[in-house]
Amino acid sequence: MASKTNPFAFLQQVRAETAKVTWPSRRETMISTAMVLVMVVFAALFFFAADQLIGWIIRLVLSISV
């Protein structure tokens, strides 16, 4: 059975662990955010183009009358 931790002790442990974290600088955060946004735009354009191409192929195949 797990022992209960005192809420005050728990908060002290959380604060101690948070102090160990290496936080990114503002510049690193901005660069990472910009990179994510650029990749999202590239992915959106790729999937839009793929969707249009597949739709065009399907319309081409379905329009062929036998």
Side-chain angles (χ1 to χ4, degrees):
M1 184 171 176
S3 63
K4 295 208 175 196
T5 304
N6 178 0
F8 182 70
F10 175 74
L11 289 175
Q12 282 181 326
Q13 292 170 1
V14 168
R15 188 175 172 113
E17 288 299 318
T18 304
K20 295 178 187 177
V21 174
T22 304
W23 298 101
S25 68
R26 183 175 185 87
R27 176 171 152 62
E28 290 171 330
T29 303
M30 297 302 281
I31 290 172
S32 297
T33 301
M35 289 171 54
V36 167
L37 292 175
V38 167
M39 291 306 295
V40 165
V41 169
F42 282 146
L45 291 173
F46 169 78
F47 286 115
F48 176 75
D51 182 53
Q52 293 297 312
L53 178 65
I54 292 169
W56 177 76
I57 292 170
I58 290 174
R59 283 191 302 276
L60 182 68
V61 169
L62 293 179
S63 67
I64 298 174
S65 56
V66 178

